[in-house]
Each structure stands twice: as C-alpha cells, then as structure tokens.
Amino acid sequence: MTTIADRLSLAQSRIVLAAEKCARDSQEIQLLAVSKTKPIAQILAAYAAGQRSFGENYVQEGQEKIQALQQSCPDIQWHFIGPLQSNKTRIVAEHFDWMHTVSRLKIAQRLDAQRPNSKAPLNVCIQVNISQEDSKSGCSATEAITLADEIQKMPNLKLRGLMAIPTATDDIHVQNLEFAELQKLYQVIAATSNDIDTLSMGMSNDLEQAIAHGSTLVRIGSAIFGARG
Ligand SMILES: *Cc1c(COP(=O)(O)O)cnc(C)c1O
C-alpha cells in the first residue's frame, strides 16, 4: 500500500522529470496539493511529509479546515481554486492566501474591499476559459487583459498570474493546443509587471504537458490523495 508521503514524492518526481524534458528548472514549478473533499488527517499526513500549500474548492469546507489547522500548521498557504459566488467572497478574502478563479471585475472588487488590513494582499490569478466546453468558467483572453489592468490598481489584491482548467480529454493534441494558448496570453500579461510569476495549470493527468507549456504551479489532487468519491 502506498502512503500519501509516497504519492507526494512520486508527484514531485514527475515534476522534476517533466522539467528536465523541456530544459526548465524544476524549482520554478510549485506543487499545490488539492485536498478538496479529503479529511484533515490526510492534509496532516501531507504536511508531515513537507507539503505546505493546499488547494480547496468549497468555501465552507476550506474555512473549516483552515480554522482547524491554524494552531498546528500555521505556515500552510491556502489556495482557493473553486468557483465562487459573489455572496461568498468574504470568506475567501478573510481566510485564504491565494485565489485562483477570479474572472469578473465584481468578484475582484469585493475581494479587494473585504481583504482585512491586517493581512498581506490576497494573491490572485485570473481564470481564463481556454476550453472548448461552454460549461467551464473563466473569462476570455480579451477580458483577462482588461481585468488584469483593473486588479493591478487594487491595493488589497496582488495579481500573480493566470489559471485555467482545460477540456477534460486524454487527447494530448487538444491539451497542448489549449496550454499553448494560455502560455501565449500569460507572456503578454507577465510583461506588464514583475509581480506576475504564476501560470497555474496542470492537474494529476496532464501535469507533464502543462509544464512543457510553462506552468509554474500544478494543482494535484487524486495523484496524492487518491480518487474522490
Ligand atoms: C479538483 C481540482 C484539481 C485536482 O484535480 P486532480 O485531477 O484530482 O489532480 C485541480 N484544479 C482544480 C481547479 C480542481 O477543481
């Protein structure tokens, strides 16, 4: 039986290998452990193995975990990576360190207004819809450029980059096309500020292709914690 520590180290090896293949420094690629739906005991196991950044998709669940682990694991970086309704922005603004799924000005404005002064600015990625599926959230490339401009004026938000969830497919050709599109847009936006250093793309099944297209943060759930029920 493999443990969470084993699977974490396996995921790290995949990152190192993928980086080597495209002559990148694996140090510039961060592993985000996606712990959504998984119990606190599993987060603690990953923490004991050295993992410090975790991603959650649901505000309530995320808030509960953050509060439960505040004392024992104060150095965890919490990333919100799920869809967010505007009436739930306060929880993200008050508890998380990162927010990956901003795709509307209204959400950004609320997060900026609700971020407590006692905290560092909330790190933000703009979610871009690079997938062909209508159901996926995120804004268009054109909207992302305008939104990036607006977010950079907000004192309590720090724009760090872009995030995307590509079409769910095993077709490597489709995956590569979509990642390449996001990489191109990222290069345009990154040229506007030194703070922009994050391209959040790649999950358990496609992290290799994402890294080949410049990903600096891969979001890995099932490969670490097992399939979700
Ligand atoms: C669930 C989720 C992940 C992790 O997906 P796995 O395939 O389990 O690695 C990554 N990113 C987002 C936005 C998710 O919702």
Side-chain angles (χ1 to χ4, degrees):
M1 216 189 84
T2 57
T3 64
I4 283 177
D6 293 336
R7 292 192 296 253
L8 199 51
S9 117
L10 214 73
Q12 259 139 8
S13 309
R14 282 175 66 189
I15 293 173
V16 169
L17 253 163
E20 272 172 10
K21 268 199 179 155
C22 54
R24 292 186 59 198
D25 179 358
S26 63
Q27 302 287 358
E28 66 186 40
I29 303 154
Q30 198 193 336
L31 168 59
L32 178 67
V34 177
S35 45
K36 63 181 177 202
T37 79
K38 298 298 180 180
I40 283 177
Q42 296 198 8
I43 297 178
L44 284 169
Y47 184 87
Q51 181 64 29
R52 289 295 179 271
S53 51
F54 292 86
E56 290 287 334
N57 281 57
Y58 310 101
V59 269
Q60 212 65 44
E61 179 189 339
Q63 180 187 10
E64 284 167 18
K65 287 174 174 172
I66 291 169
Q67 281 169 341
L69 292 168
Q70 218 153 36
Q71 298 297 326
S72 49
C73 313
D75 56 344
I76 289 183
Q77 294 265 316
W78 292 99
H79 295 237
F80 187 78
I81 61 170
L84 184 64
Q85 295 170 324
S86 58
N87 63 349
K88 300 267 177 66
T89 50
R90 182 175 294 281
I91 297 176
V92 172
E94 289 183 350
H95 298 280
F96 283 82
D97 304 294
W98 281 73
M99 161 62 174
H100 289 233
T101 56
V102 172
S103 59
R104 291 190 290 138
L105 181 60
K106 183 184 171 191
I107 297 281
Q109 286 168 332
R110 290 178 62 92
L111 290 168
D112 181 49
Q114 293 166 342
R115 182 68 171 173
N117 284 328
S118 57
K119 294 210 165 200
L122 180 67
N123 297 293
V124 164
C125 290
I126 296 173
Q127 185 177 4
V128 181
N129 186 356
I130 50 168
S131 126
Q132 315 298 323
E133 299 162 21
D134 293 337
S135 60
K136 282 278 159 37
S137 34
C139 62
S140 70
T142 320
E143 289 165 337
I145 289 171
T146 314
L147 191 53
D149 252 12
E150 296 292 337
I151 292 174
Q152 280 168 312
K153 293 179 205 148
M154 298 182 185
N156 300 316
L157 302 186
K158 183 171 180 178
L159 184 66
R160 298 296 294 271
L162 300 179
M163 178 271 204
I165 306 172
T167 306
T169 173
D170 292 331
D171 185 336
I172 289 191
H173 179 67
V174 173
Q175 288 178 354
N176 282 334
L177 275 179
E178 295 186 357
F179 286 143
E181 198 180 317
L182 193 73
Q183 182 177 29
K184 234 173 41 193
L185 179 63
Y186 175 70
Q187 285 161 349
V188 170
I189 288 182
T192 67
S193 161
N194 287 333
D195 287 340
I196 298 176
D197 57 6
T198 304
L199 181 50
S200 165
M201 63 183 194
M203 308 195 278
S204 292
N205 291 329
D206 58 11
L207 74 90
E208 283 80 8
Q209 288 88 263
I211 288 171
H213 288 97
S215 168
T216 70
L217 185 154
V218 289
R219 309 178 307 263
I220 309 299
S222 49
I224 297 169
F225 297 110
R228 288 173 298 270

